[in-house]
Amino acid sequence: MQAPGSATVINQANAALIDAFALHLATRAAHTRVAYLRDAAKLCGLCGEKSIKTLARAELARFLATLHGGGLSGRSLARMLSAWRAFFRFLIECDPTLREDPTGGLKAPKSPSVCRRR
C-alpha cells in the first residue's frame, strides 16, 4: 500500500491496520477521516518495514522531530499527533497484548505566536 499523497510504501501488516482503522472511523466526519487516515499512513510510512505495534515513544519523538525539521508547523504536528493518538487507542482497543500507548507524554513543537497589531 502507498501512503495517500506520497511515494512512501507501507508494509502489508501496517496497511491492514490502517484499513481496520478506516472502518473504525466510519462514523466520523469525512474531513476528519481523511486527515486521520493520511496521518496514520504517514506514521506507517515513517516506520518502514517495522510493525506499527512495536514503535516506542522515542521513535515517535524522532519522527516528530524529523517532520518538524522538514518544515511542518507546530499546528500541523499537533494535528498529526492527535491522529496518531487515536490510531494507537484503536490498536490498544483491538489488541489486548498492547499495553502501553507510545504517544503518551509526547507534545508537538510549539508554533511561533503571531502578534496582531491594532
Side-chain angles (χ1 to χ4, degrees), residues 40-95:
K42 181 70 172 179
L43 175 60
C44 289
L46 288 167
C47 70
E49 288 299 314
K50 186 172 184 168
S51 171
I52 191 85
K53 292 180 177 185
T54 64
L55 290 177
R57 182 175 292 123
E59 291 168 300
L60 294 176
R62 188 171 52 249
F63 293 160
L64 285 172
T66 299
L67 293 168
H68 186 61
L72 277 182
S73 72
R75 286 183 180 164
S76 294
L77 291 169
R79 187 212 65 238
M80 187 173 284
L81 188 53
S82 177
W84 292 2
R85 285 187 178 113
F87 189 37
F88 277 103
R89 277 193 307 268
F90 164 75
L91 293 175
I92 290 167
E93 192 177 291
C94 292
D95 185 349

Side-chain angles (χ1 to χ4, degrees), residues 3-15:
S6 77
T8 304
V9 176
I10 299 171
N11 77 42
Q12 281 189 316
N14 289 341

